[in-house]
Amino acid sequence: MPMRSLLIPVALLAATPAAAQSLRAVPAQPASEAEALRGVEVFLINEGEVAVTDTGPRTIEITAADGTRLVLERAPGPQPTVAPHGFAKARYVPVSVAGRAVPPAEQHAAAEIPEGETVVQSSTGSSAAFVDRFEPHEPIYGAFGLKDAGGKLQVSFAFRPFAEKAPLKLGNLRFAYTQTMFWALNQPSGPFRSTNYSPEIYADIPFDETTKVALGYRHDSNGRGELDSVDLNRVFLRAEKRFDLGGDWHVDVAPQAWFYVGRLGTAPDVKDYFGYTSLTAAIGQDNGLKLALTGRGNFQTGKGAGELFVSYPLARIAKGVGFYIFGQAFTGYGEALDDYRKNDTHARIGIALTR
């Protein structure tokens, strides 16, 4: 998603002398006090020549886009180590409204965030990544059910290899990877009975603030050899539109269509079960309940599948918890590629890191 305009803070308070010499805190500009209540992302930029380990200033005073001046306070979090000329991210929340509203003509100009890696010092040593390039993709979760439902574990992420403003629209390019594992907890020793591997590459093109269109290629495989390989290679076109319902509620609708390319392994009839289209619809509230339903199938054969996700942030129940309580249900064909001809219905519950 495109980054909001950034604002140079009016004041940095309670910073340590060492950090104040080289760390500069640059917050993303919220539209209003109401939006800031969800948390404001602040970039801690190291302008010095040596690494700095610091959490940043305790409080920051900023001006929202509507002119409201806010005092932000740092939320609890790990203490990052910021490389020279690099940056780290911190989360701040508003604690008060400061003084009068500031007219747009008097507001500070936007500040540029330098490209650089985020460095974190932990018990495993110093680790680094271009953290701002990673994005949530499909949900990351672990969910568990009774009997043959077993456990279903999924990891998924998208990565933007080029800067948003890169030439030739390369900033729209994404690489994504999803891996779904099925854990047979009802069997002795609890083996992983099947795994789906799904890399994809696509261009994510924004049309406006509520609409995106993606064109790309996706490979799905069960990771097996020539004798029992199931491979789906698809070129897809999908769109996503968000509708604001008010009160922080919104609906997302995402239709998708594809055609198959290349080989299908030992499963030439997989098209009969996966079809050529899908539709995802989700209704949710920011920092609240979300329900998402995906359906796909082949209209000619009448075979397909539906999957339901339900999630709720545990932070609403237990302050400081950073994941979701999560429910997942599937009915139809092709949950696991190894058993794509099998009609299954499973329900599971667990936790999710993204949704």
Side-chain angles (χ1 to χ4, degrees), residues 33 37 60-62 68-73 93-99:
E33 180 186 6
L37 290 173
I60 297 174
E61 187 175 313
I62 69 168
T68 304
R69 295 177 66 184
L70 302 170
V71 176
L72 306 179
E73 185 172 291
V93 293
V95 292
S96 66
V97 176

Side-chain angles (χ1 to χ4, degrees), residues 92-122:
Y92 282 64
V93 293
V95 292
S96 66
V97 176
R100 67 179 179 88
V102 180
E106 297 180 20
Q107 295 179 21
H108 292 273
E112 291 291 333
I113 296 297
E115 291 286 338
E117 63 181 5
T118 299
V119 180
V120 177
Q121 187 72 30
S122 69

Side-chain angles (χ1 to χ4, degrees), residues 128-153:
F130 290 91
V131 175
D132 61 321
R133 300 293 182 87
F134 285 90
E135 302 171 354
H137 191 54
E138 297 184 13
I140 299 176
Y141 65 89
F144 304 88
L146 300 176
K147 299 182 179 179
D148 65 340
K152 186 175 182 181
L153 312 178

Side-chain angles (χ1 to χ4, degrees), residues 180-349:
T180 309
M181 296 152 284
F182 298 88
W183 194 356
L185 295 173
N186 62 325
Q187 297 180 16
S189 79
F192 281 88
R193 64 177 177 85
S194 184
T195 301
N196 296 346
Y197 305 90
S198 304
E200 59 187 287
I201 185 169
Y202 59 95
D204 206 29
I205 305 166
F207 272 63
D208 56 44
E209 291 185 354
T210 62
T211 309
K212 283 191 174 183
V213 174
L215 175 66
Y217 164 81
R218 175 168 172 143
H219 170 78
D220 295 277
S221 171
N222 62 348
R224 300 188 182 275
E226 292 185 5
L227 297 180
D228 50 4
S229 170
V230 179
D231 298 305
L232 284 73
N233 298 285
R234 293 177 284 176
V235 174
F236 65 82
L237 176 68
R238 64 177 171 235
E240 189 267 346
K241 177 72 175 179
R242 169 166 289 200
F243 301 91
D244 187 4
L245 302 180
D248 288 337
W249 285 91
H250 52 80
V251 169
D252 294 301
V253 179
Q256 184 173 192
W258 58 82
F259 62 88
Y260 296 87
V261 296
R263 62 189 297 273
L264 296 173
T266 60
D269 63 337
V270 72
K271 302 176 185 179
D272 296 340
Y273 299 86
F274 277 78
Y276 300 87
T277 57
S278 70
L279 177 65
T280 297
I283 182 170
Q285 185 180 32
D286 294 339
N287 297 305
L289 180 68
K290 179 180 179 180
L291 294 88
L293 177 65
T294 297
R296 59 159 170 80
N298 189 312
F299 291 105
Q300 292 182 332
T301 64
K303 294 180 171 64
E307 188 163 27
L308 174 69
F309 295 129
V310 182
S311 58
Y312 188 81
L314 280 174
R316 299 286 294 270
I317 302 172
K319 187 176 180 181
V321 178
F323 49 85
Y324 306 90
I325 187 170
F326 186 81
Q328 179 267 338
F330 181 94
T331 184
Y333 297 90
E335 184 177 28
L337 286 176
D338 284 329
D339 299 320
Y340 71 91
R341 297 188 185 97
K342 185 178 180 182
N343 191 342
D344 276 324
T345 298
H346 292 136
R348 306 175 179 93
I349 190 170

